[in-house]
């Protein structure tokens, strides 16, 4: 097992920023959007629309808030441990995991405190699901992680293996 280091925890600053930004924007959505329902920014393209979601992405598993909360909590714990001990051995992957953790905690706070997640970003141009800032952090973190794993990790692992065989 790798030794924990304070440098490994630096990506967690991103997690904290994600949580703070997410909770602030959800608070503003509750205060300002809930009473009016929707606020068009670009009519027919982008609106801020107050919505709640008891499920996960695209309202999957609606009504299973407790199960989603427990699973989310356990996954977050595993990712946090991986970041702190640098289990994956890649700073970039740690930053990706930190974005996912921050978004996951942001939505977990809602599920535990409210029993649902507050959503408000309504991209109507393509009739997409209403989402929130936490969802953006999770999706961007996952996409960057997948790109890294698909296109860069195998090269990094091969270079590391080549360096070990030369010694």
């Amino acid at each position: 097992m790798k030794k924990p280091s304070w440098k490994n925890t630096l990506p967690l600053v991103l997690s904290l920023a994600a949580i703070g930004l997410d909770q602030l924007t959800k608070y503003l959505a509750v205060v300002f959007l809930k009473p009016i329902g929707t606020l068009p920014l670009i009519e027919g393209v982008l609106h801020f629309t107050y919505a709640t979601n008891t499920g996960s992405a695209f309202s999957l598993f609606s009504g299973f808030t407790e199960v989603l909360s427990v699973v989310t909590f356990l996954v977050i714990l595993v990712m946090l441990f991986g970041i702190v001990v640098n289990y994956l051995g890649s700073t970039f992957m740690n930053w990706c995991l930190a974005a996912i953790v921050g978004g996951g905690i942001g939505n977990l706070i809602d599920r535990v405190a409210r029993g649902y997640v507050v959503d408000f970003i309504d991209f109507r141009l393509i009739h997409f699901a209403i989402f929130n800032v936490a969802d953006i952090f999770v999706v961007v973190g996952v996409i960057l992680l997948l790109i890294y794993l698909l296109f860069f990790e195998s090269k990094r692992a091969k270079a590391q293996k080549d360096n070990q065989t030369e010694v």
Side-chain angles (χ1 to χ4, degrees):
M1 179 181 298
K2 296 178 174 103
K3 184 179 177 184
S5 163
W6 69 271
K7 292 177 185 177
N8 300 344
T9 60
L10 193 56
L12 298 179
V13 173
L14 174 62
S15 295
L16 293 174
I19 295 164
L21 184 61
D22 176 64
Q23 290 300 300
L24 173 64
T25 56
K26 287 175 180 173
Y27 170 78
L28 295 172
V30 170
V31 170
F32 296 108
L33 289 176
K34 188 174 181 180
I36 63 171
T38 191
L39 173 67
L41 297 178
I42 304 171
E43 187 66 47
V45 177
L46 180 63
H47 292 224
F48 284 156
T49 303
Y50 180 82
T52 62
N53 180 359
T54 60
S56 63
F58 307 109
S59 296
L60 294 171
F61 309 110
S62 289
F64 292 94
T65 304
E66 294 83 11
V67 174
L68 285 170
S69 297
V70 170
V71 169
T72 301
F73 179 74
L74 294 174
V75 170
I76 287 170
L77 282 180
V78 169
M79 285 194 267
L80 284 172
F81 177 78
I83 292 168
V84 171
V85 300
N86 197 24
Y87 181 76
L88 299 173
S90 163
T91 302
F92 185 79
M93 285 197 289
N94 284 344
W95 284 94
C96 293
L97 289 179
I100 296 166
V101 165
I105 291 173
N107 282 338
L108 181 62
I109 290 169
D110 278 19
R111 282 194 188 97
V112 171
R114 295 185 173 103
Y116 56 85
V117 173
V118 172
D119 291 325
F120 61 91
I121 303 170
D122 186 3
F123 192 60
R124 294 185 176 186
L125 185 63
I126 58 172
H127 303 288
F128 195 72
I130 301 173
F131 55 98
N132 59 47
V133 172
D135 298 334
I136 294 170
F137 276 95
V138 170
V139 169
V140 169
V142 167
I143 288 171
L144 290 174
L145 186 62
L146 288 174
I147 289 169
Y148 181 82
L149 290 172
L150 290 172
F151 298 106
F152 300 102
E153 175 58 18
S154 61
K155 292 177 186 175
R156 184 184 75 85
K158 184 182 181 315
Q160 197 173 35
K161 183 178 177 186
D162 290 346
N163 286 341
Q164 288 175 351
T165 56
E166 290 176 7
V167 176

